[in-house]
């Protein structure tokens, strides 16, 4: 029997549940337990899916057969033989896959490095900033971003940006340079699409594809450490930073509702992290992935809309931060 057919007989979540009992947390297709592979007594970081498992704490990963081998204290070869799978064929398949994955990763890294070099040489965000006129500055101001902040981090405007998403699209955009904290090195430029194209290709597109999605630091002068508030998206981070007006707290914008493993680790290293995602996000699941230091701030609307609609100030926001509680 081939490995794929043998693996399809099992739901890894159910097999782990037989061994570890009821999961600590369920979110969609993922069930979470305290990790049996390392000291994980507080926050469940061992996420199990139908086809396998992954621990965000120690990096342990595998499929149902890897789990059987670990839990039953048997070799993987013995487990595979018991399921009529040729161990040598599976080992060879894994080696070939690992070699292919390594080559693909190396090619992706080289491509990303080239894209980043080109981006920094061209410095398109400076040109976009120079495009700002009274009308485009008002677009930023109506989103809660005043002129001083526009000039500080070089927000901009492109009257006719061309995108490729299966076909060519052309649209005016507001532009956001994404800086590395403290160094002010640009990691990418994000475009907020203003035209009808947003209905077809989404509201946001990066200047350079193939580069990793990273945190947006609302204050590029500060590191992402110590006291941090994480919100969903760059403009929300700007509005939160401007409203809070606290030089001791960094505000970061997550690139999506489901942050990557590298972003999870970056946030987990913060001393005091407050997480405020949009109402439709699974904030509890994200908080559990980050760790036990996380406090959650819940609002009935997106944080920037809520602040602007209700004309809220820094004192209100500071009180919300103080009232944030663990998930």
């Amino acid at each position: 029997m081939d490995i794929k057919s043998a693996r399809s007989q099992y739901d890894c979540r159910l097999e782990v549940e037989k061994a570890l009992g009821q999961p600590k947390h369920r979110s969609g297709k993922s069930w979470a337990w305290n990790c049996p592979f390392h000291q994980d007594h507080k926050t469940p970081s061992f996420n199990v899916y139908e086809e396998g498992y992954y621990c965000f704490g120690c990096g342990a990963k595998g499929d149902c057969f890897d789990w059987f081998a670990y839990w039953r204290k048997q070799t993987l070869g013995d487990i595979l033989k018991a399921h009529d799978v040729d161990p040598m064929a599976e080992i060879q398949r894994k080696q070939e896959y690992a070699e292919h994955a390594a080559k693909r990763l190396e090619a992706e890294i080289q491509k990303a490095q080239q894209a980043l070099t080109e981006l920094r040489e061209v410095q398109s965000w400076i040109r976009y900033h120079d495009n700002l006129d009274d009308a485009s500055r008002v677009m930023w101001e109506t989103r809660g971003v005043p002129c001083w902040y526009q000039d500080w981090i070089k927000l901009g405007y492109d009257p006719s940006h061309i995108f490729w998403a299966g076909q060519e699209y052309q649209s005016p955009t507001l532009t956001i340079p994404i800086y590395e904290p403290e160094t002010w090195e640009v990691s990418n430029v994000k475009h907020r699409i203003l035209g009808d194209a947003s209905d077809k290709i989404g509201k946001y597109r990066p200047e350079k594809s193939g580069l990793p999605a990273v945190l947006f630091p609302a204050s590029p002068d500060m590191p992402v450490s110590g006291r941090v508030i994480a919100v969903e998206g760059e403009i929300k981070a700007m509005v939160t930073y401007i409203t809070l007006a606290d030089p001791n707290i960094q505000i970061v914008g997550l690139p999506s509702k489901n942050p990557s493993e590298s972003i999870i680790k970056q946030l987990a290293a913060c001393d005091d992290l407050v997480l405020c995602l949009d109402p439709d996000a699974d904030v509890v699941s994200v908080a559990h992935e980050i760790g036990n230091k996380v406090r959650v701030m819940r609002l009935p609307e997106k944080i920037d809309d809520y602040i602007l609609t209700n004309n809220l100030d820094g004192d209100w926001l500071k009180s919300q931060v103080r009232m944030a509680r663990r998930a």
Side-chain angles (χ1 to χ4, degrees):
M1 184 184 298
D2 65 87
I3 186 70
K4 187 175 181 180
S5 299
R7 191 186 292 120
S8 67
Q9 299 176 29
Y10 297 98
D11 183 329
C12 197
R13 296 169 297 188
L14 299 178
E15 300 306 318
V16 172
E17 186 178 33
K18 291 176 185 177
L20 302 183
Q22 289 288 323
K24 302 290 185 181
H25 178 67
R26 298 182 191 227
S27 176
K29 297 180 180 180
S30 171
W31 299 2
W33 284 267
N34 295 109
C35 182
F37 293 94
H38 78 287
Q39 298 294 321
D40 183 26
H41 300 311
K42 294 183 179 180
T43 303
S45 58
F46 184 61
N47 283 38
V48 186
Y49 310 86
E50 180 179 357
E51 64 278 5
Y53 59 85
Y54 180 79
C55 177
F56 287 94
C58 68
K61 61 182 178 180
D63 60 16
C64 57
F65 297 127
D66 293 303
W67 172 254
F68 291 152
Y70 168 77
W71 191 252
R72 298 173 185 175
K73 301 188 185 305
Q74 294 179 265
T75 66
L76 180 59
D78 288 340
I79 295 293
L80 293 174
K81 285 179 182 178
H83 290 82
D84 294 326
V85 176
D86 181 359
M88 293 307 298
E90 175 60 10
I91 290 172
Q92 182 179 357
R93 186 193 68 81
K94 285 189 174 183
Q95 288 176 339
E96 291 174 352
Y97 177 81
E99 291 172 0
H100 175 72
K103 290 180 181 178
R104 184 176 59 188
L105 178 60
E106 183 179 357
E108 290 176 353
I109 291 173
Q110 290 178 349
K111 184 178 179 181
Q113 288 174 337
Q114 181 180 354
L116 187 58
T117 299
E118 292 173 355
L119 176 72
R120 290 174 176 173
E121 287 177 350
V122 173
Q123 295 188 331
S124 58
W125 65 94
I126 302 296
R127 184 177 75 253
Y128 299 143
H129 180 68
D130 291 340
N131 286 340
L132 283 177
D133 55 15
D134 290 344
S136 52
R137 283 189 179 275
V138 168
M139 292 181 196
W140 277 115
E141 289 177 325
T142 57
R143 288 168 169 79
V145 184
C147 287
W148 70 263
Y149 191 89
Q150 297 173 33
D151 293 331
W152 183 43
I153 72 164
K154 297 293 185 287
L155 298 177
Y157 174 72
D158 188 350
S160 183
H161 196 81
I162 296 175
F163 300 93
W164 179 260
Q167 67 181 73
E168 185 177 289
Y169 293 92
Q170 193 167 343
S171 173
T173 67
L174 295 175
T175 61
I176 307 167
I178 312 295
Y179 297 102
E180 294 180 3
E182 298 184 284
T183 68
W184 284 78
E185 290 283 355
V186 170
S187 301
N188 211 332
V189 177
K190 188 168 281 191
H191 290 259
R192 171 57 167 94
I193 298 172
L194 301 174
D196 295 337
S198 64
D199 296 333
K200 300 176 182 178
I201 61 175
K203 292 182 179 180
Y204 291 91
R205 302 287 290 190
E207 176 100 352
K208 290 287 187 180
S209 60
L211 294 176
V214 297
L215 290 172
F216 168 80
S219 173
D221 284 338
M222 298 173 62
V224 180
S225 61
R227 300 179 65 191
V228 176
I229 300 174
V231 299
E232 192 178 323
E234 295 81 13
I235 295 178
K236 296 183 184 71
M238 298 178 206
V239 174
T240 304
Y241 174 80
I242 292 161
T243 304
L244 188 65
D246 189 331
N248 298 311
I249 301 179
Q250 173 68 286
I251 316 295
V252 296
L254 303 180
S256 72
K257 299 180 189 298
N258 301 301
S260 65
E261 179 186 349
S262 61
I263 288 178
I264 291 290
K265 289 182 178 179
Q266 194 174 1
L267 294 175
C270 298
D271 296 329
D272 179 19
L273 177 67
V274 173
L275 188 64
C276 182
L277 302 186
D278 293 354
D280 62 343
D282 188 355
V283 65
V284 173
S285 178
V286 176
H288 282 307
E289 288 185 21
I290 296 171
N292 63 335
K293 297 179 183 178
V294 184
R295 294 184 292 135
V296 172
M297 182 168 68
R298 290 183 171 87
L299 297 175
E301 300 176 39
K302 297 176 181 179
I303 188 168
D304 55 339
D305 291 342
Y306 198 61
I307 288 172
L308 297 175
T309 301
N310 297 284
N311 196 28
L312 300 170
D313 60 13
D315 290 337
W316 170 84
L317 188 50
K318 289 173 184 176
S319 70
Q320 296 299 305
V321 172
R322 287 194 297 270
M323 291 189 294
R325 294 292 180 265
R326 299 191 190 282

